[in-house]
């Protein structure tokens, strides 16, 4: 499975090359990370014993700027996974045209089995081991699966201690009081909303007549659903890992989430009927928004999707075989590298504010995010139209072209 991700990433790059005709040297350079590092480091456990953990950092490409990408803590982290994810980060940053390259890293660990103290010591030990690889102008990590702002704060503290440097721009998505940006919490959902706004203009979607189903009402899905509802779109279904709810009349997202917070799940919410996550994906809606986990639309259910548009807020929710089926059926899927790039864009804003000692308000952040997402969407749409390809291929063509132009002109 993990190997498959890296194979998929490389296969996508080969497909893009059918439209770009890169020379062999450039193509083979982009197929692999510039640098891949494995670290093994000891952590003192609560029982006084020492356990050795393994971590990775993959720096795929920095033609456009410092490597940028998350650090995940999960038992599934593998060399192949972080290599694939670092390549996708290169394309994501290039699609939205921010001056960052692609990186990714992680530690093989089940955080649920750690105490708070063990988690802090592990985070700091990992940060110390990768301290010479990263830096505000070199490689800028962020949180990812099972890591968060607190973990970035611990890592930053350790980084500053080990290197003697004072800058806080080396990690992003920090708590606001440690130099994090206003608006980062909403950023990924908000970026997706700007994408839907552009799509609506392009395709003449009228909000009040546009039904939207959102799978996964976590950070990304919640803000997406809340904000599009405020724009007049009708949220007819939402879900979490335990299942979903559906109402033809539309769902008050904030009320439903408050219910979930009190009751632990959406089940039993009186104003909507219960549905499964599989049923949610197959609803008759105009816009389907997978915002939870990868590989939810596969060969097996792609024929059953009734939505006209998919906005991929999760990473990798549509598998490559499903992609082909959706395209043939005329369903337009806005790819993750574009749809959820609002998050990394606001991480860039954070880095920029730290580097220039600025503090932007949430409104400034939102105002700066809108044109970036809008322009990226229009560019991807145009390229897809020009080459008669799906939006994912359009996004990759745009991204790879931007990176290669920079590689050729300088690096
Ligand atoms: P989260 O943990 O806050 O929320 C995930 C939500 O999905 C939860 O409501 C959970 O209950 C639900 N869920 C889990 N498994 C599910 C399943 N099998 N079916 C339906 N729902 C399920 O995570 P998040 O930060 O909102 O991230 C969601 C997705 O967006 C991930 O793929 C992530 O990689 C991607 N993403 C997040 C960001 C960000 O800024 N947070 C940026 C880019 C991409």
């Amino acid at each position: 499975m993990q190997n498959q991700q890296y194979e998929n990433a490389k296969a996508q790059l080969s497909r893009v090359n059918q439209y770009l005709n890169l020379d062999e040297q450039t193509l083979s350079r982009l197929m692999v990370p510039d640098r891949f590092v494995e670290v093994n480091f000891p952590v003192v456990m609560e029982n006084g014993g020492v356990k050795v953990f393994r971590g990775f950092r993959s720096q795929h490409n920095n033609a456009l700027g410092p490597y940028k990408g998350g650090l995940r803590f999960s038992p599934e982290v593998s060399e192949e996974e972080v290599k694939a994810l670092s390549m996708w980060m290169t394309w994501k940053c290039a699609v939205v045209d921010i001056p960052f390259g692609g990186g990714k890293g992680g530690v093989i660990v089940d955080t649920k089995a750690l105490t708070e103290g063990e988690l802090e010591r592990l985070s700091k030990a990992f940060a110390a081991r990768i301290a010479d690889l990263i830096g505000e102008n070199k490689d800028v990590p962020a949180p990812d699966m099972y890591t968060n702002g607190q973990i970035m704060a611990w890592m930053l503290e350790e980084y500053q201690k080990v290197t003697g440097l004072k800058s806080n721009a080396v990690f992003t998505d920090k708590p606001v009081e440690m130099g994090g940006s206003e608006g980062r919490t909403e950023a990924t959902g908000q970026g997706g909303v700007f994408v839907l706004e552009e799509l609506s203009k392009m395709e003449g979607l009228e909000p009040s007549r546009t039904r939207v189903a959102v799978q996964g009402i976590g950070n990304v899905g919640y803000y997406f659903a809340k904000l599009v509802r405020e724009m007049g779109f009708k949220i007819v279904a939402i879900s979490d890992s335990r299942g979903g709810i559906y109402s033809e009349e539309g769902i008050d997202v904030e009320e439903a989430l408050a219910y979930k917070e009190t009751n632990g799940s959406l089940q039993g919410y009186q104003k909507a009927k219960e549905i499964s996550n599989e049923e949610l994906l197959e609803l008759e809606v105009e816009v389907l928004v997978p915002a939870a986990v990868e590989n939810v639309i596969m060969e097996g259910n792609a024929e059953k999707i009734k939505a006209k548009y998919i906005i991929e807020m999760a990473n990798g929710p549509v598998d490559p075989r499903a992609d082909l089926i959706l395209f043939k059926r005329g369903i337009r899927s806005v790819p993750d590298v574009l749809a959820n790039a609002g998050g990394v864009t606001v991480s860039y804003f954070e880095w920029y504010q730290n580097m220039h000692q600025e503090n932007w308000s949430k409104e400034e952040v939102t105002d700066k995010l809108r044109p970036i997402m809008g322009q990226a969407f229009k560019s991807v749409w145009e390229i897809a139209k020009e080459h008669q390809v799906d939006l994912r291929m359009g996004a990759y063509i745009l991204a790879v072209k931007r990176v290669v132009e920079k590689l050729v002109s300088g690096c």
Side-chain angles (χ1 to χ4, degrees), residues 92 184 188 215-221 239-241 277 291-293 313-315 340 343:
K92 190 179 289 190
R184 177 61 187 89
T188 306
Q215 184 188 54
I217 200 80
N219 171 275
V220 174
S239 71
D240 63 18
S241 58
N277 267 301
V293 288
M313 295 308 292
N315 281 319
N340 69 32

Side-chain angles (χ1 to χ4, degrees), residues 337-348:
V337 286
L338 168 60
N340 69 32
V344 74
T345 304
V346 174
S347 299
Y348 161 62

Side-chain angles (χ1 to χ4, degrees), residues 182-194 219-220 223 227 313 339-347 349 365 369 373:
E182 296 289 350
R184 177 61 187 89
T185 313
E186 302 84 348
T188 306
Q190 178 70 76
V193 173
F194 291 143
N219 171 275
V220 174
Y223 283 108
L227 295 168
M313 295 308 292
N340 69 32
V344 74
T345 304
V346 174
S347 299
F349 292 166
V365 166
L369 179 61
M373 297 305 296

Side-chain angles (χ1 to χ4, degrees), residues 151-163:
I151 291 177
M152 294 305 109
W154 286 329
M155 289 193 176
L156 176 61
E157 201 185 317
E158 186 67 13
Y159 174 83
Q160 291 179 336
K161 197 170 119 191
V162 170
T163 61

Side-chain angles (χ1 to χ4, degrees), residues 27-331:
L27 186 64
S28 47
R29 179 169 174 188
L30 293 173
M31 285 285 177
V32 289
D34 287 348
R35 177 152 65 162
F36 177 82
V37 175
E38 176 184 319
V39 293
N40 295 287
F41 53 96
V43 176
V44 178
M45 305 306 280
E46 222 61 66
N47 63 8
V50 170
K51 202 168 159 189
V52 176
F53 290 88
R54 174 172 298 171
F56 308 106
R57 185 71 182 167
S58 174
Q59 299 177 328
H60 175 255
N61 186 277
N62 65 350
L64 298 177
Y67 303 103
K68 179 90 193 88
L71 294 173
R72 54 175 58 181
F73 286 177
S74 148
E76 267 87 54
V77 165
S78 71
E79 178 174 336
E80 289 78 11
E81 182 189 57
V82 295
K83 281 182 179 171
L85 294 169
S86 68
M87 192 192 291
W88 285 322
M89 279 308 293
T90 302
W91 312 144
K92 190 179 289 190
C93 294
V95 166
V96 280
D97 212 6
I98 55 173
F100 276 145
K104 203 74 164 195
V107 177
I108 304 172
V109 58
D110 179 5
T111 52
K112 291 190 202 97
L114 299 181
T115 65
E116 173 94 349
E118 288 169 343
L119 184 61
E120 180 177 346
R121 289 194 290 280
L122 178 134
S123 304
K124 288 183 170 174
F126 182 51
R129 272 303 155 91
I130 61 168
D132 58 342
L133 298 176
I134 60 176
E136 59 185 24
N137 285 311
K138 242 199 252 181
D139 183 347
V140 183
D144 199 83
M145 269 167 64
Y146 303 112
T147 52
N148 53 33
Q150 171 62 69
I151 291 177
M152 294 305 109
W154 286 329
M155 289 193 176
L156 176 61
E157 201 185 317
E158 186 67 13
Y159 174 83
Q160 291 179 336
K161 197 170 119 191
V162 170
T163 61
L165 298 168
K166 287 283 154 273
S167 163
N168 59 356
V170 58
F171 291 95
T172 65
D173 306 30
K174 302 177 292 289
V176 173
E177 55 283 8
M178 288 198 69
S181 181
E182 296 289 350
R184 177 61 187 89
T185 313
E186 302 84 348
T188 306
Q190 178 70 76
V193 173
F194 291 143
V195 161
L196 177 58
E197 215 170 56
E198 286 303 323
L199 176 73
S200 301
K201 276 190 230 158
M202 217 66 102
E203 296 286 89
L205 300 180
E206 159 62 37
S208 64
R209 279 188 265 128
T210 304
R211 294 163 297 176
V212 182
V214 181
Q215 184 188 54
I217 200 80
N219 171 275
V220 174
Y222 169 67
Y223 283 108
F224 180 92
K226 173 183 177 303
L227 295 168
V228 296
R229 187 167 177 270
E230 284 167 10
M231 287 163 64
F233 288 88
K234 205 191 239 187
I235 303 290
V236 293
I238 56 174
S239 71
D240 63 18
S241 58
R242 295 165 74 176
I245 52 172
Y246 170 78
S247 164
E248 228 178 278
E249 315 304 319
I251 294 169
D252 180 333
V253 181
E254 284 168 272
E255 189 187 283
L257 196 80
Y259 175 88
K260 174 178 149 73
E261 268 157 22
T262 312
N263 297 281
S265 85
L266 293 164
Q267 281 148 342
Y269 180 64
Q270 290 293 313
K271 296 184 185 163
K273 80 171 202 212
E274 281 176 28
I275 54 168
S276 68
N277 267 301
E278 293 69 36
E279 287 169 326
L280 182 145
L281 295 171
E282 294 165 19
L283 284 173
E284 198 159 312
V285 290
E286 281 67 43
V287 182
L288 174 62
V289 185
V293 288
E294 68 278 3
N295 293 332
V296 291
I297 303 174
M298 314 271 283
E299 204 172 12
N301 64 352
E303 291 287 358
K304 297 184 200 149
I305 304 296
K306 297 183 197 71
K308 294 189 180 67
Y309 305 97
I310 297 173
I311 300 185
E312 298 180 9
M313 295 308 292
N315 281 319
V318 179
D319 110 315
R321 275 176 299 225
D323 242 355
L324 297 174
I325 300 170
L326 296 176
F327 186 59
K328 277 195 200 124
R329 294 185 57 221
I331 298 170

